[in-house]
Amino acid sequence: MPAKRIIPCLDVKDGRVVKGVSFENLRDAGDPVELAARYSNEGADEIAYLDISASVENRRTLLQIVERTADVIGIPFSVGGGVVDVKSFRDLLLAGADKVVINTAAVRSPHIIADAAAQFGSQCVVVAIDSRRTPRGFRVHTHGGTVPTELCPVSWAQEAVRLGAGEILLTSMDTDGWSKGYDIELTALVADSVDVPVIASGGAGALEHFRAVFERTRAEAALAASVFHYGVFTIGQVKRYLAAEGIEVRLGE
């Protein structure tokens, strides 16, 4: 079984890292490249950049941030936000990204997943799924969580994988930013339904939350933001805690 990955998430808006609660009430958290370098040095397995306003404002993720990041870190990083076609994939990969995250455009035009996987390989195609509970069950949301759809996250994850997605980045909008733990029910449902890695996202606030999502679901990675940005604990503390609890992680040198 592969070691569990810890992935700091940098939500970028107007060139700055921000963080909010349930995708709202955003506040500044720093320079994205400086934070990426710090987390790389602290032992992060990967970095995730998500330009949270790109789809809403119909613009592309800033390639300059990607290029600068590729120059200063030696770990894989993924980039998403405003990815509208296969050219967007090519531009980000050429700028230095290892993986490209697609959400809104994938829902609108699922063939982009297959086209990107065919050209660049499934290993660099990450489909992000933002999901919220509704009276009709879990439903996928697009455009930075602002537009609800009738898609079920489980069936959509399965279709994305069938088309060629190599990884699923699953965010619970209900738990995001609340620091009360990952959405175990949602994560388990999706992770049990696909045979590619699922990254759990939304809700980390205590060391126990990382242990719970790994022990109670098949998630292969856990993504977090606020706890790292605001110094609640470090990546090293998370990994040492998980190792002491018998969960395999890469502790580094």
Side-chain angles (χ1 to χ4, degrees):
M1 181 179 296
K4 303 298 186 181
R5 290 173 287 148
I6 302 299
I7 305 175
C9 179
L10 286 71
D11 291 331
V12 179
K13 180 177 173 63
D14 301 325
R16 298 287 292 179
V17 176
V18 297
K19 190 55 191 166
V21 175
S22 294
F23 290 33
E24 299 179 351
N25 301 316
L26 303 177
R27 57 181 175 137
D28 189 271
D31 176 78
V33 180
E34 290 178 3
L35 283 174
R38 188 181 98 194
Y39 296 144
S40 176
N41 291 334
E42 288 182 0
D45 295 294
E46 297 180 21
I47 300 290
Y49 277 135
L50 299 177
D51 190 329
I52 61 174
S53 62
S55 292
V56 175
E57 299 172 6
N58 192 29
R59 58 181 173 77
R60 304 264 178 104
T61 303
L62 293 179
L63 295 177
Q64 183 181 13
I65 293 177
V66 178
E67 292 169 347
R68 289 171 55 209
T69 300
D71 286 339
V72 299
I73 70 172
I75 60 174
F77 71 102
S78 57
V79 184
V83 177
V84 297
D85 50 27
V86 173
K87 183 180 183 300
S88 302
F89 273 81
R90 181 181 298 106
D91 291 343
L92 289 167
L93 294 171
L94 287 175
D98 297 278
K99 304 176 185 179
V100 176
V101 182
I102 185 168
N103 182 343
T104 300
V107 172
R108 184 171 57 234
S109 304
H111 67 85
I112 294 175
I113 301 171
D115 293 345
Q119 290 195 36
F120 310 115
S122 292
Q123 78 285 346
C124 67
V125 180
V126 182
V127 171
I129 298 176
D130 298 332
S131 180
R132 186 191 292 275
R133 284 176 171 80
T134 77
R136 300 175 308 285
F138 291 110
R139 289 296 182 268
V140 174
H141 287 57
T142 61
H143 295 80
T146 62
V147 178
T149 76
E150 285 303 309
L151 285 174
C152 164
V154 171
S155 58
W156 173 228
Q158 292 173 327
E159 176 64 7
V161 172
R162 186 190 69 79
L163 288 167
E167 202 162 48
I168 300 293
L169 171 54
L170 177 67
T171 300
S172 168
M173 296 175 63
D174 299 303
T175 61
D176 182 75
W178 288 98
S179 301
K180 296 180 180 179
Y182 294 96
D183 192 322
I184 300 298
E185 180 186 1
L186 173 64
T187 305
L189 284 171
V190 174
D192 285 346
S193 73
V194 295
D195 59 1
V196 302
V198 170
I199 304 168
S201 171
L207 295 173
E208 293 79 7
H209 296 156
F210 292 89
R211 184 193 70 207
V213 78
F214 289 138
E215 288 184 343
R216 298 173 60 188
T217 80
R218 294 180 60 246
E220 293 189 22
L223 181 147
S226 299
V227 291
F228 298 138
H229 299 341
Y230 303 123
V232 177
F233 38 71
T234 67
I235 294 164
Q237 286 176 301
V238 173
K239 288 191 165 186
R240 288 190 294 272
Y241 167 80
L242 291 173
E245 295 292 319
I247 295 171
E248 184 178 356
V249 292
R250 297 183 187 89
L251 290 173
E253 300 299 329

